[in-house]
Amino acid sequence: MNNETINMSEPATGTALLSKSNPVFCCYLFWSSLLILKMLLMSLLTARQRIKTKTFANPEDLRVAKTSDVRFNDPNVERVRRAHRNDLENVLPFLLMSLAYVACGPHPLTAKLLIRIGASARLLHTIVYAVLPLPQPTRALSFFITFGIVCFEAIYVLIAAVKYI
């Protein structure tokens, strides 16, 4: 580690860390917006699967499908719901930890690569889980890529912040 990496109070360019003048923060803004939009679309994908399979969990929704029974166990609906839940469990920590990481002023190239790779892995995870299911280890690899990045960022932030506690 060189002195530039250890001194994380200011970005290398002399700009504010959490401003549009910081290219790392702009990278974070782009990819976090994309991931949030993807998560919102998961709700629509769930609704599409429910309508397609006439699988509704609430009696008031039965009129839409013109069916008379509530169903909870359609495998297509459940797959999309599990993928959406997986996003809630993994995208949100990625977004929060990446923001804290950006706020610590990491090396710009490293930070942008980690954000791009982590977000891309989450996009791939959704595709291979809910859209075009592929056999393992495709989903596991895309999960562990982002998981590893979040762990790295968390350790980096802990090291950067420990001197302030």
Side-chain angles (χ1 to χ4, degrees), residues 42-54 77 130:
M42 292 300 290
S43 297
L44 298 178
L45 186 58
T46 303
R48 179 178 156 247
Q49 286 296 340
R50 286 191 182 284
I51 292 167
K52 182 178 169 185
T53 61
K54 297 184 179 189
V77 173

Side-chain angles (χ1 to χ4, degrees), residues 92-127:
L92 295 177
F94 173 73
L95 295 177
L96 292 171
M97 201 69 254
S98 292
L99 182 61
Y101 178 66
V102 170
C104 288
H107 186 275
L109 179 61
T110 304
K112 289 194 287 186
L113 278 174
L114 290 176
I115 291 166
R116 290 171 182 153
I117 292 169
S120 296
R122 287 310 307 175
L123 292 170
L124 177 65
H125 186 272
T126 296
I127 292 167

Side-chain angles (χ1 to χ4, degrees), residues 130-155:
V131 180
L132 299 168
L134 292 177
Q136 290 287 23
T138 310
R139 193 173 79 234
L141 288 172
S142 60
F143 167 82
F144 281 113
I145 288 170
T146 307
F147 183 83
I149 288 171
V150 172
C151 290
F152 172 83
E153 290 174 341
I155 292 166

Side-chain angles (χ1 to χ4, degrees), residues 56-119:
F56 296 96
N58 300 305
E60 63 271 17
D61 298 334
L62 297 177
R63 287 187 316 200
V64 173
K66 298 183 174 121
T67 185
S68 60
D69 51 326
V70 173
R71 293 180 34 209
F72 296 100
N73 58 354
D74 184 85
N76 297 316
V77 173
E78 291 306 311
R79 175 176 284 278
V80 175
R81 289 183 69 224
R82 287 191 307 271
H84 194 180
R85 180 177 173 165
N86 191 281
D87 274 350
L88 294 170
E89 294 169 350
N90 294 282
V91 171
L92 295 177
F94 173 73
L95 295 177
L96 292 171
M97 201 69 254
S98 292
L99 182 61
Y101 178 66
V102 170
C104 288
H107 186 275
L109 179 61
T110 304
K112 289 194 287 186
L113 278 174
L114 290 176
I115 291 166
R116 290 171 182 153
I117 292 169

